[in-house]
Amino acid sequence: MDVEKIRELIKLAKEEDLKVLRVGDMDTEVHIETKGSGDTVVTEHGGKDKSSADGGHNGLHTVKAAQVGTFYTHKEENSTENFVEAGDKVASGDQIGMIEAMKVFNDVLADADGVVEEVLVGNGETVEYDQPLVTLRPKED
Amino acid sequence: MKKVLIANRGEIAVRIVRTLREMGLGSVAVYSTADRDSLHVTIADEAICIGPPKSTDSYLDIERMLQAAEVSGADAIHPGYGFLSETPEFARRCEEAGIIFVGPDSAIMKKMGDKAEARRTVKAAGIPVIPGSEGVVESIDEVKEVAADIGFPIVIKAVSGGGGKGMRFVHDEQSLGKQYKDARKEAKNAFGDDRIYVEKYIPKARHIEVQIVGDSKGDAVHLFERDCSIQRNNQKLIEEAPAAVLADATRADITERTAAAIGRLEYAGAGTVEYLYVEEEDAFYFMEMNTRVQVEHTISEMITGIDIIRLQLEVALFGQFDIRQEDIEMKGFAIECRINAENPAKNFMPSPGSIDRLHFGLGNGVRVDTHVFRGYQIPPDYDSMIAKIIAHAPDREKAIRKMRHVLGETVISPIDTTLDFQHYLMNHPKYMDNTVDIKFLENNEIIE
């Protein structure tokens, strides 16, 4: 279901002053709950979009998540300084981020030498096992 | 909206997602990299990859499960069967993390996981047990005393045992000394625990189990019983509900006694009490209690019309239990055949691979619980069960007839499956006469 359609449904739910609005078709169900003034909860069932970014092509090396958790690119909680940015040179073993889960922080380390091509995950985003985090362009000799 | 994470895979994960959807609850699937294209991943609201194919690093990893629950914001975890479903440590960690574990509390799970402790607990609650030692025996003299009391033959079993390790059959007092020493030594080597206990040896019996659901406050209801006597190496192949061998009075007695006893333990959610039933004595002997939903819960659902997964979720998430025993009625007869990706001609060797052709012989009173579809690749990393075919009919004979043509119509290829083997069993004279016991396949030279 496209976002515009959901927006329309939310508008409709508000206009009609509905607490709950549930709309479904074959494989998608939209459940909208309005909470007083303007605070709206939307959940959508089915039709997940799977991340297609897998790196590996174009001769790039991909650093992947070794665990489920929240990925941090920022070095400190109150800073916006990133461990690495696109264009940075890294060596195998350099820290490129952190993954936090169950209040435990684990360092994410580069497992190859190279230049950072792209950081694929934003600060504070949830990552799953094996999810590509950073692509590296290997050093050319 | 509450969200439930399913700490499992395969058909049971699919089964649980469907009930969650019916209840208007959110579902979170977890999967290993071998299961990326599995059905439970596709149909759940959210899916999180938690690890590599190896179970110990994915579906059996408590840490990763809890991390997935945390990042997805799940309120509860349904463990399914197998994997972490009977690991008290997992239930305890969920309790600590403030996540609802859909099952009984970790303390009772732990009790039931210890064979001697389980026997002691259920006996005290009023369940019939196999005559034997009261818990662990410390010396050979103690074994002799017990044997004098219950009579030979006896069986010595390891407290932490399983798979026949640390188990010895003793037919007379002369061989007792050696067998006792061997059992303890073997138990020590296999489990790091040489504690043993003694039971009367029961040479011929059926496997009959009672399905119960407890409200955690002292009440429990039963959903009648199942006969699971057709087994290979303790793996059930065919299950039936109810157990046709039982007289009505016997059925009423064992199911009511079991529900009352489990209620007394303040048990929460679904559980199964497994018995050996000796037909000649019309007597039940406790084997073990499974503190989770079972593979064969489906046939109890078919004869009662009750969704057991829904009951589990209602008890665990909402403390809701508005079902009364007198409202639970038994209707008809149900049979389940487990279809495994195995080759019966090659000693049931697993047969992983791609399913290119698939058709189930559906129809009135037929249910198929499965996670496979055309084009599905069966990974070699997990259990080989790929489908449960269930036939429901007014009586046993009609259910058998129905199952025969359902199996006959079904096509799963090119992998090897147990479809034809199950069809053969459905036509075996002893199966049709219902004169079987748990050693039926071995004793009739149907399998090696």
Side-chain angles (χ1 to χ4, degrees), chain A residues 22 29 31 33 43-46 48 50 66-70 100-103 126 128-130, chain B residues 1 21 24 31 33 36 41-42 44-52 64 66-68 70-71:
Chain A
R22 209 184 272 220
E29 187 178 299
H31 175 104
E33 279 178 47
T43 53
E44 185 176 356
H45 288 282
K48 284 183 306 296
K50 294 240 174 65
Q67 65 172 113
V68 175
T70 308
E100 184 258 308
M102 313 299 291
K103 297 171 189 73
T126 299
E128 56 184 355
Y129 173 81
D130 220 27
Chain B
M1 183 169 65
R21 176 101 10 120
Y31 62 99
T33 51
R36 272 187 202 288
V41 176
T42 314
D45 297 339
E46 297 170 37
I48 300 174
C49 182
I50 53 166
R64 288 172 194 254
L66 292 173
Q67 288 164 3
E70 190 195 56
V71 302

